[in-house]
Amino acid sequence: MKLRIRFGKHGVVKFIGHLDMMRYFQKAFRRAGFDMAYSKGFHPHQLITFASPLGVGLESSGEYMDIEVVSAGDLDEMKAALAAQMAEGVEILSIHALDENAGNAMSLVAGADYKIAFREDMMPMPVSDLKAAMADFMARPEIQVLKKTKKSERIVDIRPLIYDLSVTDQGEILMQVSAGSAANLKPELVLETFCRLNDLPADPYAWLISRLDMYTDLGKDGERRLVSLEKC
Amino acid sequence: MRKLALSDKILLQVEKPTRYLGNEINAVYKDPDRYPVRFAMAFPDVYEIGMSYLGIQIIYDMLNRREDVCCERVYSPWMDLDRIMHKENIPLFTLESQRPVRECDFLGITLQYEMCYTNVLQLLDLSGIPMLAADRKDGDPIVIGGGPCVYNPEPLADFFDIFYIGEGETVYDKLMDAYKAHKAAGGSREAFLLKAAQIPGLYVPAFYDVTYHEDGTIASFKPNRPDVPERIEKQVVQDLATVSYPEKPLVPFIKVTQDRVVLEIQRGCIRGCRFCQAGMVYRPNRERDLDYLKAHAMAGLNATGHDEISLSSLSSSDYSRLEELTEFLLETCQARQVNISLPSLRIDAFSLDVMSKVQDVRKSSLTFAPEAGTQRMRNVINKGLTEEDILGGAAQAFAGGWNRVKLYFMLGLPTETEEDVKGIAHLADQIARVFYSIPKSERPGNGRVDIVASTSFFVPKPFTPFQWTRQCTSEEFTARQKVLSREMKDMINHKSLRYNWHEFDLTRLEGIFARGDRRLGPVLLEAYRLGCIYDAWSEYFRYDLWLQAFENCGVDGDFFVHRERDLDEILPWDFIDAGVTKDFLKREYARAKEGLVTPNCRQGCSGCGCRKYDGGVCYEA
């Protein structure tokens, strides 16, 4: 039986890397008494798939992982049992059952929401100017960036990968971008590019980034319809 | 949300910031302001090493069970953070409350190996605690040391207020009670240290004076006041069932060296290998009750979610109910997909059978620790393993599917001859011959055997029969290692043999500090000032700076390490009663020189002196 778990990561745990979070959950499932399914072979491991790794330093209220269990009890009770095993800063937000033939979270991811706040005294410009500059940025027909991989360098247009971008009255940036294996756009790259095009120094330390949610695309015929991984 | 001592800016630039966060599962969070006694428990090495040590978890658990003590943990900041903390004047903090160590009442430092001593100074330095005990004032924490190195604490005497000699479960309660009473009543630091010095097992170095002969040997070692004991008695838990054992071990986020539940099945060892300090100072051998171990194994797995459990002891095969214990573990662990790790097992039919059930035979290797290459040499060190045991064990293992063998030896043992050195190569070759005598079609794996022999260099330790013996010089070690390297290449099966050896210079320093005295204090301080730190890490070990420190202080290291001591000389650690008597050690040294084997504690009592503790193997029916 497959279950999808949504969890949040805030505060000190933002410094814990992806691999360590995986190990952390493996142990948490054992402590919570989950009847986990294991892979075959001499070194069996729990069947867990994370939707998408979260970078060190980022917070989130929209992390997902799919797990496979041999048997499951009442999902609310399971959620409570798992929540009781969490370290401060890791919050279990929901658990729901998946169809047997459902795709796993990693293969489904198509988009993500991020919120970026600036650290105290590190706003690059007043809120109204930032709103205007972001609007100009989004009005560009294309936004070219140089993508370096180990083997090659190529110019990519990231504009089509930015689905939405706005600035709140408090000066926080909200963005919805493409995510997942097909085209993953990191919010840091959007911000760096914005800074470059506006002749601003790009200091990643200034940005407090949180992932808010992750989505799959249920649209048809090239039309996008993003649905939260919690709802599918 | 907890507030961290380090800013995001710093945490984002150091390697593995998780080392400094705390927040682990089963860590104990108490509000330090609400506890009369605050204890910072430190391991003077990096987090991943320190978190793997069971001893701290035992004391941490034990002290935090008290309603009047708040015990928190501290590990050495890695070099990247060390530099930042120095530059930005950030005081060392405890992981739980993230508050300065300096605010604590006690700083406890465990001393597991000599090559962590510069890191001890780092902890004091970064905490802002005066490094010299003599410079500390009433408001400074009491710095207390424990662990195996306190069986000769003298090289560290200048830096510690108290050394706790023996097992931690025994008198910490008394010390905490005494401190609480002292704090309530008020009084000087010295008045408290005097009370501490009157608790058995606690040594306050400031209350003792040492004088020296012209030749550098000790002339006298005496209390400098009437109200402290002449000798310090090691503390021993008589009945292991009566003391606490952590039921909820800490679970770190990052992978640490010992990333599993550790089950201590017994303390001490019945064997009496003459080079082994642990085998002498942890006497008498005391086993834990089988039901107690079963219960703690389950509790530990349930509370941590670890996927592995390891037995811990000096010689697991000697645990009298090992078969029942492993049977229980196999049954319960395999059902829950938990691995079992069984270190320090003697290779025989039973252990091979168990190992084949808990590990992938094709991928794992077989480990023997003959320690010496010839039977004569093994008799000298009282290692009761014979060539028949080794070759027979190897033959059974090859039949069981293993084809990788690891062998551990020491070079530079007392009375060692060229024949003994070459014997290491011969033994390795013999094992290969056993393998190649199997018909080709029946050989396991790819039909070849892989034998790795490693040698460490022998360091004589206090409270062993070899405490008087001279340690080889780096030149002698080099010569022996070369003889062995050459001999390995001359063996018929040399293509199946590999040989590794340890660092010579580190071994010399280890030897100096293992048997040194108070005159090494200034050298240690000077070495730290010159930049020595993390000496056990080859990337940071600076032998040149160490030599400079000895020279600057005018101290001759050779005196402590390359000199055969007179049997009647006053040794720096003679003031400690570690259970084993000096007469026994002398007898054993004499028997070693004659190549006479001494029976183990179950075969017969050899009168080592530890019967006085009223427990353990000495009183087995």
Side-chain angles (χ1 to χ4, degrees):
Chain A
M1 179 176 189
K2 288 179 189 167
L3 304 175
R4 180 163 298 154
I5 299 171
R6 176 176 181 166
F7 67 96
K9 199 179 167 198
H10 291 99
V12 304
V13 293
K14 74 179 177 186
F15 294 104
I16 295 162
H18 176 64
L19 290 176
D20 291 328
M21 282 309 285
M22 289 175 61
R23 288 167 11 88
Y24 163 82
F25 272 112
Q26 287 163 14
K27 293 178 200 236
F29 291 137
R30 288 170 181 278
R31 291 195 301 274
F34 278 28
D35 186 11
M36 298 296 288
Y38 284 80
S39 66
K40 306 277 176 273
F42 214 95
H43 295 289
H45 56 266
Q46 296 176 359
L47 298 173
I48 305 176
T49 314
F50 278 72
S52 170
L54 185 70
V56 170
L58 274 63
E59 296 187 299
S60 178
S61 7
E63 293 305 289
Y64 293 92
M65 68 187 141
D66 291 353
I67 66 171
E68 204 168 322
V69 292
V70 176
S71 64
D74 177 71
L75 292 185
D76 287 337
E77 281 171 23
M78 287 180 80
K79 184 188 164 206
L82 187 58
Q85 296 303 330
M86 291 298 104
E88 187 189 296
V90 189
E91 195 186 354
I92 301 302
L93 298 168
S94 71
I95 299 186
H96 73 274
L98 300 175
D99 282 347
E100 264 320 293
N101 50 7
N104 72 47
M106 192 197 287
S107 63
L108 289 175
V109 177
D113 282 347
Y114 291 95
K115 182 182 83 182
I116 298 101
F118 291 93
R119 281 183 200 271
E120 226 177 303
D121 301 327
M122 294 191 88
M123 275 287 281
M125 55 181 82
V127 176
S128 54
D129 294 356
L130 187 62
K131 281 185 171 178
M134 278 296 174
D136 287 348
F137 181 69
M138 282 298 278
R140 289 168 181 265
E142 55 178 32
I143 301 172
Q144 291 190 335
V145 297
L146 186 67
K147 263 207 165 170
K148 287 181 188 171
T149 63
K150 274 175 200 157
K151 284 178 187 160
S152 67
E153 287 185 355
R154 61 195 169 95
I155 299 207
V156 183
D157 179 12
I158 62 168
R159 179 62 191 83
L161 306 181
I162 306 174
Y163 302 154
D164 195 17
L165 188 61
S166 63
V167 178
T168 66
D169 292 341
Q170 287 74 43
E172 291 171 340
I173 299 168
L174 296 173
M175 65 169 86
Q176 186 165 72
V177 293
S178 172
S181 50
N184 195 57
L185 181 60
K186 288 188 171 177
E188 293 94 328
L189 184 63
V190 178
L191 294 168
E192 275 165 32
T193 312
F194 170 78
C195 290
R196 178 167 53 79
L197 294 174
N198 286 280
D199 289 321
L200 294 167
D203 179 3
Y205 176 68
W207 311 324
L208 290 165
I209 306 176
S210 330
R211 182 143 68 189
L212 303 179
D213 202 355
M214 280 186 268
Y215 303 91
T216 191
D217 186 359
L218 295 183
K220 280 178 192 147
D221 309 322
E223 201 150 312
R224 195 166 56 235
R225 187 164 75 85
L226 294 184
V227 176
S228 166
L229 287 180
E230 199 174 22
K231 301 276 181 318
C232 66
Chain B
M1 224 33 111
R2 290 167 65 234
K3 190 160 166 21
L4 298 179
L6 301 172
S7 67
D8 278 16
K9 187 144 213 159
I10 292 171
L11 288 165
L12 287 169
Q13 59 178 295
V14 297
E15 196 187 308
K16 301 195 189 173
T18 315
R19 286 167 173 163
Y20 314 109
L21 303 179
N23 206 40
E24 303 96 333
I25 297 295
N26 298 334
V28 179
Y29 293 96
K30 291 179 167 182
D31 175 359
D33 294 329
R34 300 175 62 170
Y35 290 82
V37 187
R38 291 181 58 189
F39 197 107
M41 189 67 180
F43 193 106
D45 206 324
V46 75
Y47 179 88
E48 295 92 307
I49 306 284
M51 271 298 274
S52 305
Y53 173 55
L54 178 67
I56 282 194
Q57 297 229 16
I58 291 178
I59 308 277
Y60 179 76
D61 172 72
M62 184 185 84
L63 290 179
N64 276 323
R65 284 182 195 217
R66 287 182 63 119
E67 283 170 8
D68 50 4
V69 179
C70 166
C71 179
E72 306 182 275
R73 291 161 301 132
V74 184
Y75 303 97
S76 301
W78 191 240
M79 285 311 291
D80 51 358
L81 182 60
D82 177 85
R83 287 187 202 104
I84 294 170
M85 291 176 84
H86 275 292
K87 204 174 120 210
E88 300 190 13
N89 256 319
I90 300 169
L92 187 64
F93 52 90
T94 56
L95 289 186
E96 284 81 358
S97 68
Q98 298 271 317
R99 294 195 3 199
V101 169
R102 209 180 179 295
E103 292 176 1
C104 293
D105 300 288
F106 287 89
L107 169 58
I109 304 180
T110 181
L111 303 163
Q112 296 292 312
Y113 31 88
E114 291 80 5
M115 290 296 94
C116 71
Y117 289 178
T118 50
N119 279 62
V120 169
L121 300 190
Q122 178 210 28
L123 291 173
L124 296 171
D125 189 14
L126 286 175
S127 298
I129 299 170
M131 288 203 258
L132 295 174
D135 294 340
R136 289 180 202 138
K137 302 280 183 298
D138 284 350
D140 290 316
I142 303 287
V143 181
I144 178 166
C149 290
V150 301
Y151 287 95
N152 177 21
E154 288 301 277
L156 292 171
D158 291 348
F159 311 105
F160 282 82
D161 298 301
I162 306 175
F163 288 103
Y164 183 126
I165 297 172
E167 295 171 342
E169 292 102 332
T170 50
V171 297
Y172 259 122
D173 275 335
K174 277 190 196 131
L175 181 66
M176 294 300 109
D177 292 342
Y179 184 78
K180 224 173 94 183
H182 159 81
K183 206 172 170 182
S188 69
R189 187 179 186 87
E190 191 183 332
F192 169 68
L193 289 176
L194 180 60
K195 288 209 181 75
Q198 288 158 351
I199 298 173
L202 300 188
Y203 165 53
V204 176
F207 295 155
Y208 297 78
D209 287 336
V210 191
T211 61
Y212 303 94
H213 291 298
E214 224 159 82
D215 66 1
T217 56
I218 295 173
S220 69
F221 186 107
K222 284 202 184 84
N224 54 27
R225 49 191 309 155
D227 37 12
V228 297
E230 297 246 346
R231 293 198 86 197
I232 310 292
E233 277 184 60
K234 142 180 117 164
Q235 294 303 297
V236 173
V237 176
Q238 284 181 12
D239 180 0
L240 288 174
T242 60
V243 293
S244 67
Y245 190 79
E247 277 164 21
K248 291 180 158 191
L250 289 153
V251 188
F253 284 96
I254 51 174
K255 216 170 164 58
V256 299
T257 316
Q258 185 86 260
D259 194 25
R260 49 188 75 89
V261 173
V262 178
L263 197 59
E264 186 196 37
I265 58 174
Q266 58 183 344
R267 271 190 206 164
C269 180
I270 60 169
R271 296 275 147 188
C273 297
R274 293 179 180 127
F275 56 86
C276 179
Q277 187 186 38
M280 294 292 162
V281 299
Y282 298 142
R283 286 181 178 218
N285 165 262
R286 287 146 293 155
E287 297 192 339
R288 285 194 193 269
D289 176 70
L290 182 63
D291 290 328
Y292 177 100
L293 291 176
K294 285 181 181 175
H296 276 82
M298 299 315 291
L301 288 170
N302 289 336
T304 59
H306 278 310
D307 59 4
E308 188 166 333
I309 185 167
S310 173
L311 303 186
S312 166
S313 82
L314 292 169
S315 171
S316 299
S317 295
D318 292 325
Y319 179 62
S320 56
R321 303 185 71 181
L322 185 67
E323 287 203 42
E324 288 159 271
L325 180 62
T326 47
E327 219 165 88
F328 168 80
L329 290 177
L330 280 169
E331 229 167 78
T332 50
C333 292
Q334 288 187 336
R336 331 162 128 223
Q337 309 280 358
V338 168
N339 295 319
I340 306 169
S341 151
L342 300 163
S344 58
L345 276 191
R346 223 179 7 258
I347 305 298
D348 56 24
F350 163 72
S351 63
L352 289 170
D353 178 53
V354 173
M355 284 192 288
S356 68
K357 287 178 186 152
V358 302
Q359 53 186 231
D360 187 348
V361 170
R362 287 162 303 157
K363 286 183 187 147
S364 57
S365 56
L366 206 65
T367 306
F368 291 97
E371 310 293 358
T374 60
Q375 196 57 49
R376 187 202 74 82
M377 193 76 258
R378 284 193 292 274
N379 290 348
V380 168
I381 61 176
N382 206 42
K383 180 88 189 180
L385 193 65
T386 64
E387 190 161 310
E388 292 73 59
D389 294 335
I390 298 166
L391 298 181
Q396 287 180 53
F398 297 148
W402 275 271
N403 66 336
R404 288 190 223 188
V405 181
K406 280 192 212 158
L407 300 170
Y408 291 104
F409 297 98
M410 281 182 283
L411 281 180
L413 289 164
T415 77
E416 184 180 67
T417 63
E418 192 168 313
E419 208 42 50
D420 298 315
V421 174
K422 289 179 173 172
I424 293 173
H426 302 163
L427 183 60
D429 192 62
Q430 284 286 321
I431 294 172
R433 287 182 197 205
V434 169
F435 185 88
Y436 291 116
S437 67
I438 304 170
K440 249 187 188 161
S441 57
E442 293 165 33
R443 289 178 201 162
N446 57 2
R448 300 202 63 82
V449 69
D450 181 22
I451 299 171
V452 183
S454 303
T455 59
S456 60
F457 298 109
F458 173 60
V459 176
K461 295 274 165 116
F463 294 108
T464 67
F466 295 147
Q467 63 178 356
W468 294 277
T469 206
R470 69 179 286 277
Q471 181 175 325
C472 291
T473 61
S474 297
E475 293 72 31
E476 288 167 307
F477 281 142
T478 316
R480 290 177 202 207
Q481 173 258 309
K482 283 188 174 148
V483 166
L484 181 52
S485 292
R486 226 175 295 126
E487 192 72 5
M488 284 278 186
K489 291 198 183 87
D490 287 346
M491 294 293 103
I492 293 181
N493 297 300
H494 65 95
K495 281 186 180 158
S496 297
L497 310 181
R498 275 185 292 152
Y499 171 42
N500 300 321
W501 59 91
H502 280 227
E503 172 82 46
F504 314 112
D505 297 330
L506 195 68
T507 306
R508 178 170 177 271
L509 275 181
E510 191 189 330
I512 292 173
F513 282 97
R515 291 187 297 160
D517 62 31
R518 291 185 176 195
R519 289 168 292 186
L520 290 172
V523 181
L524 187 58
L525 198 56
E526 178 67 2
Y528 178 71
R529 283 192 178 132
L530 290 172
C532 293
I533 190 165
Y534 280 109
D535 297 296
W537 296 74
S538 56
E539 65 264 49
Y540 290 114
F541 179 55
R542 288 286 306 273
Y543 192 55
D544 55 332
L545 294 183
W546 272 104
L547 293 181
Q548 187 68 50
F550 276 95
E551 200 183 310
N552 293 356
C553 297
V555 172
D556 175 19
D558 289 352
F559 175 81
F560 300 106
V561 68
H562 302 315
R563 180 173 64 90
E564 179 81 23
R565 285 139 171 90
D566 193 277
L567 288 179
D568 298 321
E569 183 178 327
I570 298 176
L571 302 171
W573 52 90
D574 275 353
F575 71 95
I576 297 172
D577 175 357
V580 286
T581 61
K582 209 164 185 179
D583 278 344
F584 166 72
L585 296 175
K586 281 180 185 170
R587 265 193 330 264
E588 279 294 288
Y589 193 26
R591 289 174 69 86
K593 287 177 180 164
E594 290 171 52
L596 292 174
V597 169
T598 296
N600 74 45
C601 297
R602 286 220 175 91
Q603 293 166 329
C605 177
S606 40
C608 72
C610 292
R611 221 181 132 81
K612 70 174 177 183
Y613 296 116
D614 289 336
V617 68
C618 316
Y619 294 88
E620 269 174 18

